[in-house]
Amino acid sequence: MTDANNDTLARLLRIDDETALPGHSDGIQAAYAFSPEEWRADATRVATALARDGHPWTIDDLRGRGVQEPDRPQRWGSLVAALKAAGVIRLHSVTLHRPPSGDLSGIRVWVGTADAQEVDAE
């Protein structure tokens, strides 16, 4: 590829500063930056509300509160990465989970930070 083509591709795929997640892989950043805006806004709103509650939660809790499945499953991880980078949530624990497929796997459990919980108190 020529330098001109690389430059054009870089401009097309540029992630703006508002959705960039410094320190995260290109894949995580792209999954977040190119998420459908409506899905990202809804998922962020619900996750932030759960963080403010102060109780541990998982992605299943987002689904249980009406957040639709994203067009790509990687968007869940990018959402969590963005909330963690913003200081809204922190890792609480890891637990075993058996989804409908029947395969037992570990999933992360999140909880709101003190900063997230203080927003509700103000």
Side-chain angles (χ1 to χ4, degrees), residues 76-122:
W76 290 120
S78 71
L79 171 73
V80 168
L83 292 169
K84 189 175 173 199
V88 175
I89 62 171
R90 66 175 175 77
L91 182 64
H92 178 268
S93 61
V94 177
T95 190
L96 292 176
H97 173 70
R98 188 178 305 274
S101 68
D103 299 329
L104 194 62
S105 63
I107 60 168
R108 291 180 177 103
V109 180
W110 302 97
V111 68
T113 62
D115 289 343
Q117 294 168 26
E118 287 176 13
V119 171
D120 227 22
E122 293 177 351

Side-chain angles (χ1 to χ4, degrees), residues 14-22:
R14 174 149 168 63
I15 296 173
D16 63 42
D17 292 339
E18 188 176 312
T19 55
L21 299 171

Side-chain angles (χ1 to χ4, degrees), residues 2-3 17 25-26 28 35 42 47 51-52 54 57 60 62 64 70 74-77 81 96 103 107 109 116 119:
T2 66
D3 286 339
D17 292 339
S25 71
D26 291 346
I28 291 287
S35 292
D42 186 44
R52 286 183 189 138
W57 57 272
D60 282 342
L62 296 178
Q74 295 85 349
R75 303 223 194 272
W76 290 120
L96 292 176
D103 299 329
I107 60 168
V109 180
V119 171

